[in-house]
């Protein structure tokens, strides 16, 4: 994730925003999306909750699915 954050594969993700931090995680987790879509969905929902809290949104983070 750190490498993807520092050197994004896609030019659109070069800005240092929380959205692009989320993109760095989901890019790295891409193989998980194919191998275990249910786990990927739970992981990205939990991550979105954490990043949302960092952005000042009031929603509680979603617990990751135990798969």
């Amino acid at each position: 994730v750190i490498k993807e954050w520092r050197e994004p594969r896609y030019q659109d993700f070069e800005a240092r925003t929380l959205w692009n931090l989320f993109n760095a995680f989901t890019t790295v987790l891409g193989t998980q999306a194919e191998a275990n879509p249910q786990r990927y969905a739970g992981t990205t929902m939990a991550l979105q909750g954490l990043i949302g809290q960092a952005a000042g949104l009031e929603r509680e983070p979603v617990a990751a699915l135990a798969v």
Side-chain angles (χ1 to χ4, degrees):
V1 173
I2 292 172
K3 183 177 188 301
E4 191 62 41
W5 172 248
R6 291 180 179 163
E7 300 171 17
R9 296 176 206 186
Y10 308 104
Q11 186 177 7
D12 291 343
F13 299 165
E14 289 179 359
R16 303 298 80 192
T17 64
L18 289 175
W19 176 250
N20 288 337
L21 177 59
F22 181 78
N23 288 332
F25 274 95
T26 58
T27 298
V28 171
L29 292 170
T31 56
Q32 188 183 85
E34 296 173 12
N36 190 338
Q38 184 178 5
R39 184 172 181 193
Y40 176 78
T43 301
T44 56
M45 287 188 314
L47 179 61
Q48 187 174 9
L50 290 172
I51 290 178
Q53 270 192 323
L57 302 175
E58 296 184 24
R59 183 176 175 178
E60 292 292 319
V62 176
L65 297 174
V67 180

